[in-house]
Amino acid sequence: MRQKSVFLPTMREVPADAEAVSHKWLVKGGFIRQLSAGVYSFLPLGRRVLRKVEAIVRHEMEQTGAQEVLLPAFQPADLWQQSGRYEVYGPELVRLQDRNGREFVLGPTHEEVITQLVGQEISTYRKLPVTLFQVQTKFRDERRPRFGLLRCREFVMKDAYSFDSDWEGLDRTYQAMYEAYHRIFERSGLEFRAVQADAGAIGGEGGTHEFMAIAESGEDDVVTCSSCDYAANMEKAISHEAALVEADKKRLTRDQAEDGLQAAAEQFHTPGLRTIDELVAGLEIGHDGLIKTLIYLADGKPVAVLVRGDHSINETKVLNALQAVTLTLADSDTVRTVTGAGTGFAGPIGLAIPLLVDLEVAQMKAGIAGANETDYHVRHVVPGRDFSLERTGDFRNVEVGDRCPSCEHGELRTIRGIEIGHVFKLGTKYSEKLGAQFVDSTGETKPIIMGCYGIGISRLLSAIIEQHHDENGMIWPSAVAPYDVHLIPVSTQDSLQMDVAENLYAQLQAAGIDVLLDDRDERLGVKLKDSDLIGIPIRIVVGKGVADGQVEWKLRGGSGAADRMAITDVLAAVQGSMRG
Amino acid sequence: MRQKSVFLPTMREVPADAEAVSHKWLVKGGFIRQLSAGVYSFLPLGRRVLRKVEAIVRHEMEQTGAQEVLLPAFQPADLWQQSGRYEVYGPELVRLQDRNGREFVLGPTHEEVITQLVGQEISTYRKLPVTLFQVQTKFRDERRPRFGLLRCREFVMKDAYSFDSDWEGLDRTYQAMYEAYHRIFERSGLEFRAVQADAGAIGGEGGTHEFMAIAESGEDDVVTCSSCDYAANMEKAISHEAALVEADKKRLTRDQAEDGLQAAAEQFHTPGLRTIDELVAGLEIGHDGLIKTLIYLADGKPVAVLVRGDHSINETKVLNALQAVTLTLADSDTVRTVTGAGTGFAGPIGLAIPLLVDLEVAQMKAGIAGANETDYHVRHVVPGRDFSLERTGDFRNVEVGDRCPSCEHGELRTIRGIEIGHVFKLGTKYSEKLGAQFVDSTGETKPIIMGCYGIGISRLLSAIIEQHHDENGMIWPSAVAPYDVHLIPVSTQDSLQMDVAENLYAQLQAAGIDVLLDDRDERLGVKLKDSDLIGIPIRIVVGKGVADGQVEWKLRGGSGAADRMAITDVLAAVQGSMRG
């Protein structure tokens, strides 16, 4: 394509609202424009990258035997009521009425539609397994859309859904998808990790992994081990200690005789010491001597969650333990009603609500806790003796330095990531609710066993740039670049340069290579600046060297100066570079 | 692909709700399924055809230099208020609120979004012309969705928008699109006509053509000439007489002296004769001796439209003459208020509302009209003498047998068509309203000159089937077929047959040919019935003939029995057939 004709509105200034690097470059480079908060138009270069990513995803999906479909965005609300998600999904679900007042939603995902569809059409194990996928536009009314394409209200997603007759089949399909995802992200030039994740609202009794692109700017914490390949997201990550208890390899027992020898719990005056840090400073003790008690509303009912003063609560683990749908920190009125005290003085002793006690609190000899009386705490609080340990479990986030649950000797650490994909074993959650059943080989009727598999296609553009950029702009990996070659004559007035450029343009295009020819009547400096900005992998400058049969060759991702290259070597060099 | 694994739920019964042939075959053949009225899921075979059509459209768009973008469906209402279409569009426009109560619409088309986008980014003639297109999902809340993919609430469309600095540029772009549309529909195997059309609600001061696939089941009347290549849709078609008046080549003058010699208008009793047919039967006169007067509300205000008794009113022409936005037949209360009579007795004499008089009424010597009194008509009504001819024009639909406005000697006739594409010269309608201006080479600021160009991608599937089917199912043209070859071993138990089938499968696929291998353990009759139903162009049956190195070859669109063919000739034959 000739650059003069391309709708490529690059900007001189950095857009003011761009918080993420990828957002900045995508807008500055003329790849996208915002229409409304979290709603973007893809301009020609952005669309080209999107299509390259789509092609990779399609190819790898089809390699697994998955078949492409296209499902509607405009979905009847009653389907969502049947699955139970109409109420649960919250304000992220876009709801609307048609002209007859019938309720609809705009699909944020397609479990309901596809489960109903497959349930209606497949009734025997002979037609299973089947995996269907689509590349389609999703709608989620995010509370706070931001970071350009990273958190949008309208976005392009690849979603796949598998249907198997047994769990072994699902395991095989899941593994095939897991491997296809690795190939997709590798081909897209991403550094990523597959991490254990929590099933969350989408639910399902099986396993689930998130694929995380490693990036400083990521919104998610990924927990990894210093020694083995353990990786989990923060919601899911557990310490070695918790893993032992979970695996029933360790029982939490307390020596009640020893507990009895501890000093009796004793209330003391702590005026104005509301926070853990204030207590640590005021009482001159360590964080790990404190018991932190927070009051939550789980599905509207108050519960107390206890973790050690140096730990933070993992709300996902609390939600899962309670099998609750919503969990919110209680407001100060509720705290006062429940504890009789102002915020900051809650403690376990005498509370008439369920106490969820973290494992490491349950193992404290004694600690300081709130007294449920404003400006008072209690010391010598002994777990088990002074409050119930009936609901003990892993309720905290892992901390840097915790021992790894997998290899048992490495230390956990955290890196930041951008979620780019997600694979779920859904099991029968949707097939049961939506009546997607089949008759197995013995004549028995069973719900179909499902999996679902998503990739944020438009989000991938941002993730790739977060990993591939420098101070001058984007650096597109070859497989997803909007063009393969940026061909830049120094002077459009120089007929020899233009002849060489036009010949190369024709020659490369004839070989199936995507070339952007900068035929603009601009100074070389402007052209090179734009070239760095839009980040096409191979840059060929056609300048005075043509008199000696030479052009200048530079890889956008390479360092140092441009190389001189014989014009006759260009095609082979481009082909070699693209293969590499 | 192996048919056993394909999600291809063919049906034995014809779906009860299918009104159109294409709807019936698409559902029966397992290509689509309805989710809600006018909302369809595309199953794997339907998706494959959709992708083939998309590829043809993309290729031809890019050949014209148009660049692909992707614009949001979720559009702020204020943009539509700015263009003035928020009010005008009516209940077909899907309206909704986001979580903050801000008004949005789901794009039924993208003039607003793209005009704003281009207006913001292009400010000089140097960046023009540019044409942008997308393949994207549209939403229109049709009053009566029907005919499967022909009238949907959610559908896939290719829409393109051109931006030029002058009208000559628009003419060139329009012509390029017009030609690209011909190539697209030809490649898709369609018999079609480009017909003159009315600009309608989307507006614009330039020309516009509709592309109509010829089909008995079409919802649109296409007017053609028996002798020349004149073609227009019914809204736009005019008679030779009207063309002369329009071109100012003929003036309508009446001989007032002669009018004065006519008998005076005379009221007479016509009890119960409300309709033209009742009058013709009751009075024993011809249709062409009657003046039909209908009361309409144009933007809420009453007007009377007069056509001869043998003609029908063309509401588009009335709308355009009045420059009104809405036109609806008046209800009986309004008719009584305006005429003082019950429905069926309206006439032009003494009416205090605007009278729009069709040309051919204006040329009647005298006629019979309603008396504006229930059960009475008036005879000897003389146009010009008895009612005003101030607003005379072409307000009727052409009739079969009217003289052609183009060649002036052929006779007009009508055929039925399905609208599959539409090209518009929009001019400055949107650029003025949305402030899309540029500075021309003389330094003058002007609105950009626009065109827009649509193709109903999903609708094309139906249009193709309406033209390509028989009593056994679909007959896909080669370029858009879900697979190129249907390879059918007679017995999956016969190892020789299966070896040959597998070898052919591998050989054809290696040559880039899409093959569906029917590996199902079904009787041959069932397989052939399914094969006819889904309509893959080339069918190769691998049966007992393999012992002699032969298979059976049949084109789905061909007649007669299958041919025997040497196995070694199959690849070349397939390639030859696909080229043909």
Side-chain angles (χ1 to χ4, degrees):
Chain A
M1 190 90 187
R2 290 164 196 277
Q3 199 162 341
K4 216 190 255 180
S5 313
V6 177
F7 183 55
L8 174 51
T10 55
M11 293 163 67
R12 294 281 155 254
E13 302 302 317
V14 177
D17 64 334
E19 293 171 275
V21 168
S22 55
H23 185 187
K24 177 175 94 173
W25 291 128
L26 283 169
V27 174
K28 192 161 191 257
F31 282 54
I32 62 171
R33 284 294 181 271
Q34 183 178 286
L35 172 62
S36 175
V39 181
Y40 285 87
S41 296
F42 289 83
L43 311 195
L45 262 64
R47 184 68 182 113
R48 289 182 74 91
V49 178
L50 211 50
R51 279 180 55 74
K52 295 228 176 167
V53 173
E54 287 171 16
I56 292 173
V57 169
R58 272 204 175 92
H59 178 257
E60 295 297 344
M61 282 296 107
E62 287 178 348
Q63 288 297 104
T64 71
Q67 299 167 60
E68 186 169 355
V69 294
L70 182 62
L71 306 174
F74 198 75
Q75 306 177 1
D78 51 17
L79 204 52
W80 285 72
Q81 277 153 352
Q82 241 179 296
S83 75
R85 288 210 291 182
Y86 193 67
E87 306 307 329
V88 175
Y89 217 96
E92 276 187 27
L93 185 63
V94 180
R95 293 151 211 258
L96 71 161
Q97 295 191 329
D98 73 359
R99 64 194 291 155
N100 304 314
R102 227 186 124 192
E103 301 281 344
F104 282 81
V105 308
L106 295 183
T109 169
H110 280 74
E111 283 80 8
E112 280 79 0
V113 170
I114 201 138
T115 307
Q116 185 193 53
L117 173 67
V118 170
Q120 281 167 352
E121 305 299 341
I122 289 186
S123 55
T124 160
Y125 72 98
R126 281 190 213 93
K127 301 277 187 186
L128 297 173
V130 66
T131 299
L132 303 173
F133 78 97
Q134 61 175 344
V135 175
Q136 192 260 359
T137 299
K138 303 276 185 271
F139 300 87
R140 286 186 201 164
D141 200 355
E142 292 279 354
R143 191 175 63 81
R144 202 179 158 203
R146 59 197 294 207
F147 303 129
L149 301 181
L150 285 174
R151 213 194 294 159
C152 279
R153 300 204 283 179
E154 175 172 347
F155 55 97
V156 181
M157 192 167 157
K158 186 286 297 179
D159 44 332
Y161 306 88
S162 67
F163 300 85
D164 276 279
S165 53
D166 53 34
W167 281 91
E168 294 69 36
L170 172 59
D171 288 343
R172 280 190 298 273
T173 307
Y174 186 89
Q175 185 62 25
M177 282 287 160
Y178 185 86
E179 288 165 14
Y181 273 40
H182 274 79
R183 288 192 299 272
I184 288 167
F185 299 130
E186 275 160 17
R187 289 178 62 185
S188 302
L190 283 164
E191 187 195 348
F192 66 97
R193 292 291 294 265
V195 311
Q196 297 174 24
D198 187 80
I202 203 163
E205 54 261 60
T208 168
H209 286 87
E210 284 172 1
F211 287 79
M212 293 284 189
I214 308 307
E216 270 302 315
S217 57
E219 286 191 271
D220 290 294
D221 278 314
V222 178
V223 178
T224 61
C225 172
S226 61
S227 160
C228 75
D229 64 359
Y230 176 77
N233 70 11
M234 186 52 89
E235 283 77 49
K236 180 74 174 179
I238 57 176
S239 65
H240 176 226
E241 192 80 4
L244 289 179
V245 174
E246 197 179 77
D248 229 6
K249 287 188 185 150
K250 179 176 173 182
R251 291 195 168 272
L252 291 173
T253 50
R254 291 187 70 91
D255 183 339
Q256 292 188 0
E258 194 176 313
D259 285 352
L261 296 178
Q262 295 282 340
E266 175 191 35
Q267 186 162 320
F268 65 111
H269 198 204
T270 53
L273 303 183
R274 290 172 184 274
T275 68
I276 293 293
D277 285 342
E278 286 164 359
L279 280 167
V280 165
L283 305 179
E284 294 183 3
I285 57 162
H287 281 83
D288 59 357
L290 295 171
I291 297 170
K292 182 155 64 178
T293 307
L294 287 180
I295 311 297
Y296 280 91
L297 290 172
D299 292 346
K301 289 182 193 147
V303 298
V305 184
L306 278 63
V307 295
R308 223 167 59 190
D310 54 340
H311 290 154
S312 62
I313 291 175
N314 183 315
E315 297 185 354
T316 303
K317 294 176 181 175
V318 174
L319 261 177
N320 290 345
L322 293 169
Q323 297 195 293
V325 171
T326 65
L327 187 75
T328 50
L329 262 179
D331 56 75
S332 58
D333 286 351
T334 306
V335 169
R336 184 166 292 277
T337 307
V338 168
T339 68
T343 305
F345 299 97
I349 302 179
L351 277 192
I353 59 174
L355 299 184
L356 276 71
V357 184
D358 183 65
L359 295 173
E360 316 228 7
V361 170
Q363 289 170 280
M364 289 169 79
K365 281 216 157 69
I368 293 173
N372 296 324
E373 189 177 335
T374 303
D375 288 345
Y376 284 90
H377 279 79
V378 182
R379 58 167 75 97
H380 310 311
V381 176
V382 176
R385 182 189 75 178
D386 298 328
F387 60 89
S388 165
L389 293 182
E390 207 175 312
R391 290 161 173 270
T392 301
D394 175 24
F395 300 123
R396 72 170 178 98
N397 288 319
V398 297
E399 298 285 333
V400 171
D402 278 343
R403 267 175 69 201
C404 172
S406 178
C407 69
E408 307 194 353
H409 64 268
E411 284 191 353
L412 296 184
R413 44 193 191 182
T414 61
I415 51 178
R416 305 287 283 176
I418 298 167
E419 188 190 333
I420 47 176
H422 208 151
V423 291
F424 274 103
K425 292 183 185 172
L426 288 173
T428 58
K429 174 173 167 165
Y430 290 92
S431 50
E432 278 178 10
K433 286 196 169 138
L434 294 159
Q437 297 181 318
F438 72 103
V439 176
D440 76 4
S441 57
T442 68
E444 198 183 337
T445 299
K446 293 175 171 173
I448 304 179
I449 317 267
M450 290 175 58
C452 74
Y453 317 90
I455 290 179
I457 300 262
S458 44
R459 168 178 269 219
L460 266 196
L461 270 63
S462 287
I464 292 168
I465 297 170
E466 291 291 331
Q467 290 187 358
H468 299 278
H469 67 269
D470 62 15
E471 67 282 9
N472 299 317
M474 300 170 265
I475 306 172
W476 288 104
S478 185
V480 294
Y483 290 91
D484 303 312
V485 173
H486 204 175
L487 187 59
I488 307 178
V490 172
S491 166
T492 54
Q493 310 303 320
D494 185 308
S495 64
L496 183 57
Q497 287 179 23
M498 284 311 288
D499 282 353
V500 169
E502 290 284 354
N503 282 340
L504 278 173
Y505 183 54
Q507 186 191 22
L508 293 170
Q509 288 200 127
I513 293 158
D514 290 333
V515 186
L516 183 65
L517 171 66
D518 193 347
D519 56 346
R520 297 176 303 159
D521 194 16
E522 295 277 5
R523 285 181 301 108
L524 182 62
V526 171
K527 291 182 179 181
L528 295 183
K529 210 170 155 66
D530 277 346
S531 182
D532 280 348
L533 173 58
I534 63 178
I536 296 171
I538 301 171
R539 189 180 83 193
I540 298 170
V541 174
V542 181
K544 289 190 179 142
V546 293
D548 309 320
Q550 303 236 305
V551 294
E552 287 186 359
W553 164 283
K554 192 171 188 309
L555 297 182
R556 176 65 181 89
S559 55
D563 293 324
R564 288 177 70 95
M565 181 181 285
I567 295 166
T568 47
D569 291 342
V570 167
L571 175 59
V574 169
Q575 287 169 329
S577 176
M578 287 172 65
R579 267 196 303 275
Chain B
M1 192 90 189
R2 290 164 195 277
Q3 199 162 340
K4 217 191 253 179
S5 312
V6 178
F7 182 54
L8 174 50
T10 55
M11 293 164 66
R12 293 281 155 252
E13 302 302 316
V14 177
D17 65 333
E19 294 170 275
V21 168
S22 55
H23 185 187
K24 177 175 95 173
W25 292 128
L26 284 168
V27 174
K28 193 161 192 258
F31 282 55
I32 61 171
R33 284 293 182 268
Q34 181 178 289
L35 173 61
S36 175
V39 181
Y40 285 87
S41 297
F42 288 83
L43 311 195
L45 262 64
R47 184 69 181 112
R48 289 182 76 91
V49 178
L50 212 50
R51 279 181 55 74
K52 295 227 174 167
V53 173
E54 285 171 17
I56 292 173
V57 169
R58 272 203 176 93
H59 178 257
E60 295 296 344
M61 283 296 108
E62 288 178 347
Q63 289 296 104
T64 71
Q67 299 167 59
E68 186 170 355
V69 296
L70 181 63
L71 306 174
F74 200 73
Q75 306 178 0
D78 51 17
L79 204 52
W80 284 73
Q81 278 152 352
Q82 242 179 293
S83 75
R85 287 208 292 180
Y86 193 67
E87 306 308 328
V88 173
Y89 217 95
E92 277 187 26
L93 186 63
V94 179
R95 294 150 210 261
L96 70 161
Q97 295 191 329
D98 74 358
R99 65 195 291 157
N100 303 314
R102 227 187 124 195
E103 301 281 344
F104 283 81
V105 308
L106 295 183
T109 168
H110 280 74
E111 282 81 7
E112 281 78 1
V113 169
I114 200 137
T115 307
Q116 186 194 53
L117 173 67
V118 170
Q120 281 167 353
E121 305 299 341
I122 289 187
S123 55
T124 160
Y125 73 97
R126 281 191 214 89
K127 301 277 186 187
L128 296 173
V130 66
T131 300
L132 304 173
F133 78 98
Q134 61 175 345
V135 175
Q136 191 260 0
T137 299
K138 303 276 184 276
F139 299 86
R140 286 185 201 163
D141 199 354
E142 291 280 353
R143 190 176 62 83
R144 201 179 159 202
R146 60 197 293 208
F147 303 130
L149 302 180
L150 285 174
R151 213 195 294 157
C152 279
R153 300 202 285 179
E154 175 173 347
F155 55 97
V156 181
M157 193 167 155
K158 186 284 299 178
D159 44 332
Y161 306 89
S162 68
F163 300 85
D164 276 279
S165 52
D166 52 34
W167 281 91
E168 294 69 37
L170 172 59
D171 288 342
R172 280 190 299 273
T173 307
Y174 186 88
Q175 184 61 26
M177 281 288 160
Y178 184 86
E179 288 165 13
Y181 273 40
H182 274 79
R183 289 192 298 273
I184 288 167
F185 298 131
E186 275 160 18
R187 288 177 62 185
S188 302
L190 282 165
E191 186 195 348
F192 66 97
R193 291 293 293 267
V195 310
Q196 297 175 24
D198 186 80
I202 204 164
E205 55 261 60
T208 169
H209 286 88
E210 284 172 2
F211 287 80
M212 292 284 189
I214 309 306
E216 269 304 312
S217 57
E219 286 192 90
D220 291 295
D221 278 316
V222 177
V223 177
T224 62
C225 172
S226 61
S227 160
C228 75
D229 64 357
Y230 176 78
N233 70 11
M234 186 52 88
E235 284 76 49
K236 180 74 174 177
I238 57 176
S239 65
H240 176 227
E241 192 79 4
L244 288 179
V245 173
E246 197 178 77
D248 229 6
K249 286 189 186 151
K250 179 175 173 182
R251 290 197 169 269
L252 290 173
T253 50
R254 292 187 69 92
D255 182 340
Q256 293 187 358
E258 193 178 314
D259 285 354
L261 297 177
Q262 296 279 341
E266 177 193 31
Q267 187 162 322
F268 64 111
H269 198 208
T270 52
L273 304 183
R274 288 171 187 275
T275 68
I276 294 291
D277 286 343
E278 286 164 357
L279 279 167
V280 165
L283 305 180
E284 295 184 1
I285 56 163
H287 281 81
D288 59 357
L290 296 171
I291 297 169
K292 183 155 63 178
T293 307
L294 287 181
I295 311 298
Y296 279 92
L297 291 172
D299 291 347
K301 290 182 193 145
V303 297
V305 183
L306 277 64
V307 295
R308 223 167 58 188
D310 55 339
H311 291 154
S312 62
I313 292 174
N314 183 314
E315 297 185 353
T316 304
K317 293 177 181 176
V318 174
L319 262 176
N320 290 345
L322 293 169
Q323 298 196 294
V325 171
T326 64
L327 186 74
T328 51
L329 262 181
D331 57 74
S332 58
D333 286 351
T334 307
V335 170
R336 183 166 293 278
T337 307
V338 168
T339 68
T343 306
F345 299 95
I349 303 179
L351 277 192
I353 57 174
L355 300 184
L356 277 71
V357 183
D358 183 64
L359 294 174
E360 316 228 6
V361 169
Q363 289 170 280
M364 289 170 79
K365 280 214 156 71
I368 293 173
N372 295 324
E373 187 176 337
T374 303
D375 288 344
Y376 284 90
H377 279 79
V378 182
R379 58 167 76 97
H380 311 311
V381 176
V382 176
R385 183 190 74 179
D386 297 328
F387 60 88
S388 164
L389 294 181
E390 207 174 313
R391 290 162 174 269
T392 300
D394 176 23
F395 300 123
R396 71 170 178 99
N397 288 318
V398 298
E399 298 286 331
V400 172
D402 278 343
R403 268 175 69 200
C404 171
S406 180
C407 68
E408 309 194 351
H409 64 269
E411 285 191 355
L412 297 184
R413 45 193 189 182
T414 60
I415 50 177
R416 305 287 283 177
I418 298 167
E419 188 189 332
I420 48 177
H422 209 151
V423 291
F424 274 104
K425 292 183 185 171
L426 288 173
T428 59
K429 173 172 170 167
Y430 290 92
S431 50
E432 278 179 10
K433 287 195 169 138
L434 294 158
Q437 297 182 316
F438 73 103
V439 176
D440 75 5
S441 57
T442 68
E444 197 184 336
T445 298
K446 294 176 170 171
I448 305 179
I449 317 266
M450 292 175 55
C452 75
Y453 316 89
I455 290 179
I457 302 262
S458 44
R459 168 179 268 221
L460 268 195
L461 270 62
S462 286
I464 293 168
I465 297 170
E466 291 291 332
Q467 290 187 358
H468 299 278
H469 68 269
D470 61 15
E471 68 281 10
N472 298 316
M474 299 169 266
I475 305 174
W476 287 104
S478 185
V480 294
Y483 290 91
D484 303 313
V485 173
H486 204 175
L487 187 58
I488 307 176
V490 172
S491 167
T492 54
Q493 309 303 320
D494 183 310
S495 64
L496 183 56
Q497 288 179 23
M498 285 309 290
D499 281 353
V500 170
E502 289 285 354
N503 282 339
L504 278 173
Y505 183 54
Q507 186 192 21
L508 292 169
Q509 288 200 127
I513 293 158
D514 290 334
V515 187
L516 183 65
L517 172 66
D518 192 347
D519 57 346
R520 296 176 303 160
D521 195 14
E522 294 278 6
R523 285 180 301 109
L524 182 61
V526 171
K527 292 182 179 183
L528 295 184
K529 209 171 156 66
D530 278 346
S531 183
D532 281 346
L533 173 59
I534 63 178
I536 296 170
I538 301 171
R539 189 181 83 193
I540 297 170
V541 174
V542 181
K544 289 189 179 144
V546 294
D548 310 320
Q550 303 235 303
V551 293
E552 288 186 0
W553 163 282
K554 192 170 187 311
L555 297 181
R556 176 66 181 89
S559 55
D563 294 323
R564 287 176 72 96
M565 181 181 284
I567 295 167
T568 47
D569 292 342
V570 166
L571 175 60
V574 169
Q575 286 169 328
S577 175
M578 286 171 67
R579 267 196 303 274

